[in-house]
Structure formats: C-alpha cells, structure tokens
Amino acid sequence: MSKMTKKKVHVRKGKKIKKIINQKKAVSKPRIGIHSITGCAGCQLSIYFIEDVLLDLLDKINLVAAPMIKEQNEEEGYDVLFVEGSVSSQEDLDNLLKWREKTKALVALGACACHGGMQSMKHLMNEKEVESAAYAKFPSDPRVKPITSVPLHKYVKVDFYIPGCPPDKQEIIQVLKHFLQGRRLRVYDKAVCHECSLKENYCLLDQGIECLGPLINGGCRALCPSFNHPCTGCRGLLDDANLESGKQVLKDKGFDVDLIIKRMTKYNSLQFKEFEEKTNINNKK
Amino acid sequence: MGKVLDKKRLKEFLGKVSKGKELIAPVKRGTLRFEIININYFDDICLEGRPLFSIKKFFSPAKHDLLKLNLADKKKPFEEEKTRFKPRVIFGARLCDFNGLLRLDKLFNSKEYQDDYYKAARENTLLIGINCVPAPSKYCFCESMGLEKYYDLMLHDMGNKYYIEAGSPKGEALIMTLEDYDFVMPEIKCDKKLFRKDLTQYYDNPAWNSENDKCLSCGKCTSHCTTCLCFDVMDELEVDLKKGKRFKEWDSCQFLNFTLVAGGAIFRKDRLSRFKHRIYHKLQYFREKFGMDMCTGCGRCIEACPRLIDFTEVINKFR
Ligand code: SF4
Ligand code: SF4
Ligand code: SF4
Ligand code: SF4
Ligand code: SF4
C-alpha cells in the first residue's frame, strides 16, 4: 500500500468501508448484493427503477446477488448487502443471520427493514388472535411460522439505513455513490416539516389535513405534502419525536384519537410502542 | 412631507419602477407568498395579510449552490459559483421584513462572513413597503421591537390613494415627479406586546417548561423566521464521482443533530436547551453581540408553529 492510502482518513465508520473498497479496487469492483425477507419487494424495485443512471452505476459495481433479476447468484463475499423486508419468520431470521456473516456492510432498505413496516402492527395487537386469523386454516409450515416482525437491527448490526415506503431513488443513488467514494452519507435526521418549509408548501395542517410531518424523519424532500397528501410516516418517527404533542396538534384540529394512532402506527408500531413505554416510565418517575 | 399616488396609477408606477428589473410581490397562490411576477399580472398582487414566509429567501435562498466540483482536474478541483444578478424590486413587503435584512446584514454582509450572493442581492434590490396600518396579523408584535424606518419607499393606504414616503435617496428619486402631500405616516399598532428585558437571570425559570413540552422540534419556527440564517453545507457528486457541487441549505437549531460534532458529541441534546437557544439567540445573545435584537416581531414563528408556541407569553410573565 502506498503512503497515501495508509494515511488516516477522518471519516467516522466510512473509514472501514473505504478500506474495504480500496482493497477490492486492485482486484475487482465492490461486490454488491440485494436480498429480501418479508416485505412487498417494492424496495428492490426502487433500485431497478433508477433507469437513468443504473447502467453507469452497474459499470462501477459487481452485482453478485439479486435473485429478483438474476438467475446466477453468489452466496457470499459481499462488500455491501442491501436487505429489504422485516424479520417475520424463522426462515427470515436464519437468512438474515447467515447474510450478516457474509457481508462487510449491511444496508437496511425501506420502511420494513428500518422500522418493521405494516406487518409489525402485531406489536400493538393480540399476537395469537392475529396469527390465527391468518394461519389457523392452514396446516402450519414450520418455515413460515410467524414471529412478531421486527426491523433488522433488532437481530443484527446495520451499517446504514435507507427508510421510506418505497425508498427514494435519489437516496439509493446517493448511498451507492458514497459507498463507492468510501464516504459515509449522513442519515437525514430533520423533520419532514423542514423540507416541506424549504419548498414553501402550504402547510396541510393549516388546511385542516392530518399531516404527521412534525413527528417524522424527513429526507424524502417532503414528497407527500408537496402533492397535497398528508405524510403518513413511512420514514419512521424522529429519534426525539414528541408524540404527546403530536397527538395534541391533531386533536386540536378536531381529528379522532383512534385515527391519529392508526396513522402514526401504520409503518411504525414498534417505534410507537417503544416511545409510549418511555413516556409511561418518565411519567411514573 | 411625502407624496401622493392615485391607486389607479399604481400599476403604471410599479411598471416604471420595475422596468428592466424583476418584480417581487405578495400573491395568493393557495396561500399568500412572495413571488417573482410579471407586471402584466399586477392584479394578482394581494396586500391583505402578510405572507407566512418572509423575503429572506431572495437574499439567502433555502438551497443554494456554492461551488462547482471537478475532482478530475487536480489543478482546479473546485470553482466558485458566479453570482449573476438581475436587479429586483420588492413591492408589498413590510417593515418587519426590511428590518430583518438589517439583522441578516450583520453576518452575511460583514467583513468576516461576507456572502457574495447576499451582498449582490442587497445592492441590487429596491425595497418598497406597505405600511402595516392596521397590523396584518394577530401574531404581529413589531410595535414592541423598536424597528427602524428602513426602506426605499413606504406606501400608506388612504382609501383611493397611497401616501408615499422615501427612506433613501434612491427612493426619493423615484417619486420626485409625484404630487406633494402634507401628512404624517401613521405608526404601527399591535395587539400583541413583548416586554423586552435582559433574559440572563431567567434562563432556569420553570416558565419555559410548559411551552417546551409542546415543542415538536420540527424547525418550522426557524425556517419561517424573518431573521434566522443558519445553514448546513453538503457535497453531492454525479455518478462519475468526479463532477459535482457543494451547496448550502437552511438548517435549524431546533434539530437534535444541529450541534453534532466529529466524535459524536451533541451539545444541545435535550429539547429544552434547544427550545431556549432559539429564543435566547433572538432576544439576548444577538443583542449582546450586535446591539440589536434578532427579532423583528413579525409573529411568523408563532403562526407557523403547529402548536402556536408563543415566546412573548413566557417572557411577559417575567416581571
Ligand atoms: S404539510 Fe405536513 S410536513 Fe408540511 S409543514 Fe405542514 S405538517 Fe409539516
Ligand atoms: S412525506 Fe412522509 S409518507 Fe411521504 S414519503 Fe415522506 S416520510 Fe414517507
Ligand atoms: S415550530 Fe413550534 S413545535 Fe416546531 S420547533 Fe418551533 S417552537 Fe417547536
Ligand atoms: S423570532 Fe419570530 S417574531 Fe421574531 S423575527 Fe423570527 S419569526 Fe418573527
Ligand atoms: S434561532 Fe437557531 S436557527 Fe435561528 S439563527 Fe439562531 S441558531 Fe440559527
């Protein structure tokens, strides 16, 4: 290695990725994989929808596993592995644990992988009831034996998150470009309201529409409110979301508490439950 | 003493003043907003109410490119974005908007931190205001903020005519040929008041807590503020990983990671310290540094807040 490449690069964690990619550069392009557990596969499709620059990107990487679009897929030696879906069955879990061993960096792709998604609503319901509604009629196949679905980071280390339902094409491109440069992209961590205000949108709350923007992590360039559609939280709750105040905003506008909670938990039941537990503990203190 | 202009002649007057320039005025598009318009759409101009977003975006845009990157060129990997500037006329803004510029000047037009785009925008923009009698919003409290009579021209609505006063030689030249009129520009009166005081001793006052409990840290108060100027700087490369740009984008001290530094430390982790920081920056720190409050009493932060959080109510409790 030359003196230059040995020089310490002050990029947190990005350092490791840079090393991985530099090592590979001499031999080959970075080996990228795309795998799927329980979800709708829409996240993967978002990758293939990057038509405008997909070919340029493919030129720079080695797509070694993408079962949705390729017949020949390699099972190991990934530099970066994208995983979509949430852990919802024993088979999902076995696969995830196996993949984590085979990759240097793991990216959680989409709302399900990052926050649990819709299938995680069991966290707020009676698990047995939900389960029997879906599976009682069928002799259960041990492979699909449901487990309460959780996002990837509940079982394995996740190196980067691309939230959203579906995830944003531009963000996926950004992440890939940053990996190729050996830099770590900053996770967007400002409220949806911020990007909405930068665009000078007419606030939906002011129009009497139940938008969740003030509670939700942005990065989507306020896609939904920009088309007069309320944010339903597909990018997850902010790390320090003020749920109580958020509920009050909507109550003040005359919305029904039940509807408010349904909206908030559409993608983020687990996060919602964890927030509520934290508030309850604090209130007891 | 000022001048008088028949309302029917306003279009003609604005047309003349903005000839060869961009005309910016409040128009109603869903909601009231400042936009660049063509004088032929004069009838779209709406002077009722004040837009929820101020004119700061025309001086320090929400998103703005700073550098062109070309990493392949080892000798010249980056180049500054050139500032090309078409002169502008802002019509129909308010005294609080113009006073906001005096605050932004302290940083963006200062020796140490001069922002070329801002400076060019300032030098090439004519400021024509409309007097706030009556105050356009119930959230306005500029009367308490000791604003300066800062404008090129100020119009006062007198029914079928405007009384016009000049605040600069540039403004004077524009109205020279109009008819003289003996009148005194009425002062702005606001229902909402702020009893300004030294806030040092109130930092730990529990009165902040109940308002802070409502705060969502959504940043709407700062993005809508007439004087907030914080921004973030980011790089973006094209797929060739060579060409790209560095740009800036408004930021807000209300966000958790606003004070995140290398190594992972966050200086204002708890919401309360962030909540108070905004208000102390507006009404204490800025004054200590620059001799004026960083708030013009426009009331935008209150009106834009999803919980209508109003710092004047907290401060007025301190006696
Ligand atoms: S429309 Fe929604 S996201 Fe936009 S500012 Fe209003 S609440 Fe926030
Ligand atoms: S506005 Fe909300 S629901 Fe829409 S894409 Fe953004 S985070 Fe998802
Ligand atoms: S707009 Fe209101 S809720 Fe949002 S950060 Fe500002 S004070 Fe808090
Ligand atoms: S702090 Fe509020 S009232 Fe003061 S200038 Fe900013 S938006 Fe206007
Ligand atoms: S209040 Fe916050 S966002 Fe506004 S100028 Fe001060 S530090 Fe910046």
Side-chain angles (χ1 to χ4, degrees):
Chain A
M1 233 190 229
S2 76
K3 245 194 188 131
M4 271 308 279
T5 43
K6 266 189 215 151
K7 213 171 91 186
K8 274 201 183 130
V9 192
H10 292 279
V11 184
R12 214 162 30 115
K13 289 183 191 155
K15 207 160 125 187
K16 198 177 122 203
I17 299 157
K18 181 158 198 160
K19 222 165 86 195
I20 298 166
I21 290 173
N22 276 350
Q23 281 168 359
K24 284 280 157 196
K25 226 189 266 169
V27 209
S28 61
K29 300 167 190 169
R31 293 163 60 86
I32 310 282
I34 302 166
H35 275 308
S36 180
I37 52 177
T38 302
C40 73
C43 302
Q44 258 199 74
L45 275 177
S46 309
I47 299 187
Y48 310 131
F49 280 155
I50 320 178
E51 306 98 345
D52 34 350
V53 294
L54 190 62
L55 291 179
D56 293 331
L57 275 173
L58 285 178
D59 205 35
K60 292 189 159 48
I61 62 172
N62 192 358
L63 190 62
V64 293
M68 187 191 252
I69 56 163
K70 272 172 55 142
E71 222 167 305
Q72 303 286 324
N73 294 290
E74 294 181 40
E75 286 294 323
E76 52 193 15
Y78 309 124
D79 290 318
V80 182
L81 182 64
F82 291 84
V83 177
E84 66 169 359
S86 70
V87 184
S88 310
S89 69
Q90 189 56 46
E91 190 185 24
D92 283 350
L93 181 56
D94 295 342
N95 277 333
L96 181 65
L97 294 173
K98 179 181 79 194
W99 293 329
R100 179 66 263 195
E101 295 282 301
K102 310 279 183 207
T103 185
K104 288 170 183 158
L106 188 130
V107 179
L109 182 65
C112 301
C114 294
H115 300 106
M118 301 209 186
Q119 59 269 38
S120 68
M121 68 172 80
K122 275 202 291 184
H123 287 283
L124 298 170
M125 299 162 101
N126 183 311
E127 200 163 329
K128 286 277 160 310
E129 261 173 41
V130 182
E131 217 175 289
S132 64
Y135 296 101
K137 285 178 248 144
F138 308 102
S140 72
D141 177 336
R143 281 180 311 157
V144 296
K145 163 108 188 82
I147 55 180
T148 311
S149 55
V150 291
L152 309 186
H153 66 261
K154 293 287 168 189
Y155 285 111
V156 296
K157 179 170 164 271
V158 171
D159 298 285
F160 201 82
Y161 296 88
I162 308 180
C165 181
D168 179 60
K169 283 204 302 192
Q170 293 306 327
E171 196 176 0
I172 298 173
I173 299 174
Q174 283 296 337
V175 171
L176 274 170
K177 283 191 296 195
H178 275 70
F179 271 123
L180 287 169
Q181 292 171 71
R183 285 170 60 204
R184 165 164 285 241
L185 182 67
R186 271 163 41 189
V187 184
Y188 195 92
D189 48 17
K190 300 167 190 173
V192 174
C193 287
H194 186 60
E195 287 175 300
C196 196
S197 301
L198 297 188
K199 288 176 149 179
E200 221 178 303
N201 288 338
Y202 182 13
C203 178
L204 295 174
L205 288 173
D206 291 345
Q207 302 182 58
I209 299 172
E210 68 287 17
C211 186
L212 294 187
L215 298 171
I216 304 300
N217 206 77
C220 55
R221 299 183 298 281
L223 180 66
C224 303
S226 302
F227 291 94
N228 275 326
H229 190 81
C231 170
T232 52
C234 79
R235 296 181 60 94
L237 292 166
L238 284 167
D239 281 350
D240 67 340
N242 188 342
L243 274 195
E244 289 316 300
S245 184
K247 282 184 207 160
Q248 197 57 48
V249 171
L250 297 165
K251 275 188 219 161
D252 289 349
K253 305 267 173 199
F255 296 107
D256 165 44
V257 185
D258 241 26
L259 172 86
I260 299 172
I261 294 183
K262 271 194 193 126
R263 270 288 159 84
M264 288 183 180
T265 54
K266 182 172 165 193
Y267 299 99
N268 309 305
S269 302
L270 184 57
Q271 252 191 322
F272 182 86
K273 189 176 147 204
E274 287 169 352
F275 266 101
E276 296 273 85
E277 282 165 3
K278 219 165 42 190
T279 323
N280 289 340
I281 294 168
N282 285 342
N283 287 349
K284 267 181 207 142
K285 264 189 205 159
Chain B
M1 200 175 61
K3 303 277 185 177
V4 70
L5 178 75
D6 198 282
K7 268 194 185 168
K8 286 195 220 98
R9 292 186 50 210
L10 180 62
K11 180 177 179 183
E12 174 201 329
F13 177 74
L14 274 183
K16 222 159 73 190
V17 170
S18 65
K19 206 170 162 75
K21 301 188 169 92
E22 262 170 3
L23 177 63
I24 293 164
V27 291
K28 202 153 194 163
R29 305 239 193 272
T31 178
L32 198 60
R33 57 182 88 228
F34 286 109
E35 272 182 17
I36 299 172
I37 64 159
N38 186 301
I39 189 68
N40 296 329
Y41 293 93
F42 171 83
D43 290 337
D44 288 359
I45 297 178
C46 173
L47 296 175
E48 254 153 70
R50 61 113 181 72
L52 197 50
F53 286 93
S54 77
I55 56 171
K56 99 177 151 186
K57 63 182 178 181
F58 297 109
F59 300 87
S60 178
K63 261 190 173 163
H64 190 214
D65 292 351
L66 301 173
L67 300 177
K68 252 197 227 73
L69 306 177
N70 185 3
L71 306 183
D73 188 347
K74 288 272 178 283
K75 279 201 206 95
K76 205 175 179 196
F78 63 87
E79 193 182 341
E80 255 183 76
E81 279 292 341
K82 296 218 172 34
T83 316
R84 276 177 228 94
F85 225 94
K86 191 163 181 200
R88 295 161 167 178
V89 179
I90 295 186
F91 171 70
R94 313 270 171 171
L95 199 62
C96 60
D97 287 315
F98 299 151
N99 269 260
L101 298 176
L102 295 176
R103 274 74 184 162
L104 297 177
D105 283 350
K106 294 287 177 204
L107 287 144
F108 292 154
N109 218 353
S110 66
K111 259 210 193 87
E112 302 104 299
Y113 310 111
Q114 185 186 301
D115 176 321
D116 292 344
Y117 181 90
Y118 180 86
K119 187 165 179 272
R122 285 290 274 134
E123 283 164 0
N124 289 292
T125 309
L126 208 60
L127 308 174
I128 305 181
I130 180 89
N131 194 28
C132 291
V133 176
S137 151
K138 62 177 177 187
Y139 302 107
C140 297
F141 59 96
C142 67
E143 190 192 346
S144 309
M145 299 314 294
L147 300 190
E148 278 175 47
K149 288 197 182 316
Y150 179 70
Y151 42 76
D152 290 308
L153 290 178
M154 183 57 84
L155 274 63
H156 176 75
D157 192 332
M158 302 191 64
N160 52 6
K161 52 184 185 275
Y162 288 111
Y163 169 68
I164 310 184
E165 244 175 48
S168 72
K170 251 197 281 177
E172 245 157 54
L174 295 173
I175 54 171
M176 232 155 51
T177 56
L178 297 183
E179 192 186 321
D180 286 344
Y181 198 78
D182 197 6
F183 188 70
V184 182
M185 185 73 79
E187 301 282 328
I188 305 173
K189 295 270 167 275
C190 303
D191 289 339
K192 189 181 274 305
K193 305 272 186 282
L194 171 67
F195 299 102
R196 288 193 284 164
K197 48 181 75 75
D198 190 308
L199 293 175
T200 322
Q201 56 169 314
Y202 300 108
Y203 192 81
D204 293 319
N205 196 292
W208 296 116
N209 298 349
S210 58
E211 292 309 294
N212 173 60
D213 287 346
K214 295 188 207 162
C215 179
L216 299 137
S217 304
C218 68
K220 284 187 76 183
C221 46
T222 57
S223 53
H224 286 72
C225 178
T226 305
T227 65
C228 271
L229 37 67
C230 287
F231 58 86
D232 203 346
V233 176
M234 283 169 270
D235 292 345
E236 205 176 288
L237 286 187
E238 287 166 23
V239 181
D240 66 4
L241 302 181
K242 299 279 186 263
K243 290 206 188 63
K245 62 178 182 185
R246 170 164 295 181
F247 64 100
K248 71 175 200 178
E249 184 180 297
W250 291 348
D251 202 350
S252 169
C253 62
Q254 299 306 294
F255 300 133
L256 178 60
N257 285 343
F258 182 75
T259 52
L260 172 69
V261 292
I266 298 177
F267 294 112
R268 286 191 286 271
K269 215 167 190 160
D270 62 312
R271 199 187 314 278
L272 184 61
S273 66
R274 280 179 269 146
F275 182 76
K276 288 195 284 196
H277 179 78
R278 172 173 73 95
I279 297 154
Y280 272 73
H281 191 203
K282 297 284 144 196
L283 297 168
Q284 185 73 27
Y285 309 147
F286 198 82
R287 181 175 357 109
E288 287 169 4
K289 222 174 168 153
F290 299 112
M292 55 165 79
D293 279 323
M294 198 198 197
C295 170
T296 64
C298 69
R300 290 184 164 104
C301 57
I302 310 169
E303 196 176 338
C305 173
R307 294 295 312 270
L308 300 173
I309 291 173
D310 180 350
F311 61 67
T312 66
E313 283 171 15
V314 183
I315 294 170
N316 290 346
K317 277 188 211 148
F318 305 147
R319 293 280 162 140

